[in-house]
Amino acid sequence: MKTILNELNFDQKKAAIHIDGPLLILAGAGSGKTKTLVTRLAYLISEVGIDPRSILTLTFTNKAAMQMRERALDLISKDSSSLPLLCTFHKFGLLFLKFHIHQLGRNNNFVIIDSDDKKRLLRSLAKELKVDLNISFIASEISKYKNSLLSPEVALEKAELKDYQKVAKVYVAYQDNIIENNLVDFDDLLMLTYQILDQNKELREEISNRYKYIMVDEYQDTNELQFKLLEHLTSAHGNLCVVGDDDQSIYGWRGANIRNILEFSDNFDGAETIKLETNYRSTQPILEAANRLIEHNSNRLGKNLISQKGEGPSVKLHHSLDEVHESKTIAQEIKELLLSGVHPDNIAVLYRINALSRSLEEGFTKEGLGFKLIGGMRFYERAEVKDVISFLRVFANPYDDFSFIRIINKPKRGIGKASIEKLQKFAFEQNSSFYGTLDMATQSQLQEIVGKKVSLAIKKLIGDIKFLQEKSKNSLLEFITLFEETIGLKNHYAPMVDGHDRILNIDEFYGYFRDSVEKTPSLTLDEFLNDIALSSEQDQVEGDIITIMSVHAAKGLEFEHLFVIGLEEEFFPLLGDGCNMEEERRLGYVAITRAKKHLTLCYVDSRFYKGRRKMIDKSRFLGEAGLIKSTSLKITKSSGYKKGDLVKHKIFGIGRVQAVNKTGKEYNLLINFGGNKKNILSSFVQSV
């Protein structure tokens, strides 16, 4: 262990040997935060003698958890009889609910629905309720409600504006539906976990005493609910070690609360802060640009990155007439890099707005460059893959009506929409689940409702499900082959225009299933489904071709040769209502610090965007980073709040912003707290 500690620098070592009490490791980009965190984990187990089972480490992606687990295993003493729990927040919630959801009067054979399933269910409910709002907006608001611990009833009671009353009505119906079908969405995994711990003091103390040392990666990305959950988990001991970077807090739009890291010392008494400022990734010119840019933010703890690599090439600026010229020039430069022996994995192009990828895709295709686009449709969200997953869900839980309805006519069995509606009405009258009703019904009963052909198809399907369900309880190694032979999904998609691609996707899924079973012979169908439900987009970032992605998707990654396009006003940074300039600047900081040695920042004179060509100004960030002479653009600060936002006040609770007005250096917010309207300065509330 001494040798391992000696591999750390002074500040890393200081953080690694910290044992008791709250600790904030303020880790700059490329400063070895994962190495420090993993070494601390190994130190607690192998040197201090802490029982591994009493340590909980929480991450945000499965990929991060897996990498940390592998690195920790290399450091932990081989004599360790057990391993610490190292998983994502949501996986922890899943494990907790499997043991304790009965506290809420629910069964532990619940099924997790992903964002696509959630939207389909919301679309159905909105149609029933004659709500004509955008489904993504409804889904986002319900997610906000859950992460603010607002029940459907309270949300309905507090809703004043007409649109939010509609959302709250859908929320009520949605929650009733998923409880009735024993489903949980991603937000439930944490919300229900918190509710159980909050309501049961004895259990809260038991869980907190079980995990006496808690570590959290990427703490700047935590939201209000995750913060409250951590308060409960550490309530018996206060041993919380978090690592994060306030300058890389870029997820405010999805609920991340930067105040969690900025106010860590206020929230946890006796907290110590250790800064990691030595950067092992980038050369000094790149870090100087990043440091200068981020210094323009006022809401930060403050640190200055210093390169361990030393000097390197200057940051390069690339000026083009338009996006066509830009993409062509970048493609040609990349071709030269490839010809010089640079591996494609070491090259990436980033953008702030997804729409900018179109010109890159066209330019790269014309130049014959292979690329992967991160941020398109996720693998598990493709229709053919979701069909396979829905079948597997039904095998794991036949009473998952949501999945059963999806696969009832795939492949086509002549069971049309009208037949399904008749059968659903029959199930409702029987006061039973859809599948359960069809299983118990006699052939003659079904024939009377939907005719002989459809009734025979239904009984055949139920027979196939029972057969495969039984087979899934045995070895899963050959199960997926038997599934395809029995159901024939590939034959269903083969005649389609894009049938070849769809079959390739199905085969990819089957291969992944077999590989998972081979790696973990004891794997159950339920465990496999939960693992893929919890997978994230960034877990799929791999391969050996050039990467094109958004800055958000690039967080945590690094590249030897990096191009960032769209360094223009309105594109990077975004401007307009609701724009948070400090978060935009943090995005710029993240983009710059992805580069290891060669960084090219690109801007154009005009872009074709939203149906028209527009002349644009170069980004203020280029001036703030010291790469061009300071522009005439004023550095403006945004309140970060806009009409409709949910905010929280320490006295009045949760309210909705109805108006935003500038008042000196502050912003005056008109907030509706459940009918009680107040004018509050923006510094006295926080986003939820």
Side-chain angles (χ1 to χ4, degrees), residues 515-574:
D515 187 56
S516 298
V517 175
E518 286 175 357
K519 287 180 177 177
T520 311
S522 62
L523 186 72
T524 66
L525 198 54
D526 191 51
E527 289 169 342
F528 175 78
L529 288 169
N530 285 329
D531 282 342
I532 62 173
L534 291 170
S535 72
S536 69
E537 183 175 284
Q538 201 169 36
D539 293 334
Q540 301 171 42
V541 178
E542 58 183 5
D544 59 357
I545 52 180
I546 299 153
T547 303
I548 299 175
M549 68 174 90
S550 69
V551 178
H552 281 102
K555 186 169 177 292
L557 304 177
E558 59 183 36
F559 301 92
E560 194 76 22
H561 299 266
L562 183 71
F563 298 81
V564 185
I565 68 168
L567 267 298
E568 306 107 20
E569 295 291 295
E570 294 189 52
F571 292 90
F572 202 174
L574 293 182

Side-chain angles (χ1 to χ4, degrees), residues 455-467:
S455 63
L456 287 172
I458 288 171
K459 284 300 182 182
K460 171 69 165 60
L461 173 61
I462 289 176
D464 289 342
I465 289 172
K466 286 184 174 180
F467 167 72

Side-chain angles (χ1 to χ4, degrees), residues 160-161 642-645 656-660 669-672 677:
E160 185 177 74
L161 300 176
K642 64 182 183 301
K643 184 178 178 181
D645 281 354
R656 177 91 53 186
V657 175
Q658 294 195 319
V660 181
L669 308 179
L670 176 61
I671 307 171
N672 178 14
K677 296 181 181 180

Side-chain angles (χ1 to χ4, degrees), residues 62 114-116 186 373-386 389 505 531-540:
N62 292 322
D114 63 20
S115 58
D116 193 44
F186 279 5
L373 176 66
I374 307 301
M377 181 177 285
R378 288 179 56 195
F379 180 77
Y380 296 122
E381 291 176 348
R382 293 167 183 167
E384 61 276 13
V385 176
K386 285 191 71 66
I389 293 172
N505 289 334
D531 282 342
I532 62 173
L534 291 170
S535 72
S536 69
E537 183 175 284
Q538 201 169 36
D539 293 334
Q540 301 171 42

Side-chain angles (χ1 to χ4, degrees), residues 15 99 124 153 237 298 313 358 409 505 516 543 557 570 592 612:
F99 286 99
S124 173
E153 295 73 26
H237 49 73
S298 57
R358 180 191 61 82
N409 200 39
N505 289 334
S516 298
L557 304 177
E570 294 189 52
I592 290 171
R612 65 188 180 93

Side-chain angles (χ1 to χ4, degrees), residues 601-613:
L601 303 180
C602 310
Y603 63 96
V604 299
D605 293 330
S606 74
R607 282 193 188 278
F608 191 77
Y609 185 60
K610 292 185 177 179
R612 65 188 180 93
R613 180 154 298 284

Side-chain angles (χ1 to χ4, degrees), residues 415-673:
I415 309 173
K417 185 177 180 181
S419 295
I420 293 173
E421 288 176 350
K422 290 177 184 177
L423 293 169
Q424 283 180 304
K425 182 181 178 182
F426 177 56
F428 180 78
E429 291 169 350
Q430 300 298 311
N431 194 28
S432 179
S433 73
F434 193 28
Y435 175 91
T437 299
L438 300 185
D439 184 24
M440 296 298 293
T442 63
Q443 181 73 51
S444 58
Q445 282 179 308
L446 293 178
Q447 187 170 326
E448 187 175 332
I449 299 169
V450 292
K452 184 176 181 180
K453 184 178 179 181
V454 174
S455 63
L456 287 172
I458 288 171
K459 284 300 182 182
K460 171 69 165 60
L461 173 61
I462 289 176
D464 289 342
I465 289 172
K466 286 184 174 180
F467 167 72
L468 290 167
Q469 185 183 30
E470 195 60 34
K471 292 295 183 182
S472 72
K473 295 175 183 177
N474 303 321
S475 171
L476 290 179
L477 200 56
E478 299 301 322
F479 170 76
I480 208 71
T481 301
L482 185 61
F483 164 75
E484 178 57 34
E485 290 174 351
T486 305
I487 302 299
L489 263 186
K490 290 200 282 188
N491 291 334
H492 169 70
Y493 281 109
M496 298 184 182
V497 175
D498 57 349
H500 177 69
D501 290 336
R502 289 176 180 267
I503 290 173
L504 287 177
N505 289 334
I506 292 173
D507 282 335
E508 177 72 14
F509 183 88
Y510 289 171
Y512 174 67
F513 183 95
R514 293 188 187 97
D515 187 56
S516 298
V517 175
E518 286 175 357
K519 287 180 177 177
T520 311
S522 62
L523 186 72
T524 66
L525 198 54
D526 191 51
E527 289 169 342
F528 175 78
L529 288 169
N530 285 329
D531 282 342
I532 62 173
L534 291 170
S535 72
S536 69
E537 183 175 284
Q538 201 169 36
D539 293 334
Q540 301 171 42
V541 178
E542 58 183 5
D544 59 357
I545 52 180
I546 299 153
T547 303
I548 299 175
M549 68 174 90
S550 69
V551 178
H552 281 102
K555 186 169 177 292
L557 304 177
E558 59 183 36
F559 301 92
E560 194 76 22
H561 299 266
L562 183 71
F563 298 81
V564 185
I565 68 168
L567 267 298
E568 306 107 20
E569 295 291 295
E570 294 189 52
F571 292 90
F572 202 174
L574 293 182
L575 302 176
D577 292 341
C579 168
N580 185 323
M581 189 55 66
E582 295 224 343
E583 183 154 316
E584 289 296 307
R585 201 170 278 114
R586 292 194 290 269
L587 268 170
Y589 176 84
V590 167
I592 290 171
T593 54
R594 298 311 92 200
K596 298 168 72 174
K597 188 175 181 181
H598 299 275
L599 172 64
T600 303
L601 303 180
C602 310
Y603 63 96
V604 299
D605 293 330
S606 74
R607 282 193 188 278
F608 191 77
Y609 185 60
K610 292 185 177 179
R612 65 188 180 93
R613 180 154 298 284
K614 183 176 182 180
M615 300 301 294
I616 42 183
D617 294 317
K618 61 176 72 73
S619 172
R620 69 189 69 187
F621 292 170
L622 297 176
E624 293 177 3
L627 299 172
I628 61 173
K629 289 185 179 180
S630 186
T631 64
S632 59
L633 290 163
K634 287 181 66 178
I635 298 172
T636 58
K637 297 266 195 318
S638 164
S639 69
Y641 299 107
K642 64 182 183 301
K643 184 178 178 181
D645 281 354
L646 277 177
V647 296
K648 182 179 180 182
H649 187 274
K650 63 181 179 181
I651 295 175
F652 302 117
I654 293 173
R656 177 91 53 186
V657 175
Q658 294 195 319
V660 181
N661 294 297
K662 189 83 166 69
T663 305
K665 294 183 178 180
E666 278 263 33
Y667 285 82
N668 192 315
L669 308 179
L670 176 61
I671 307 171
N672 178 14
F673 296 99

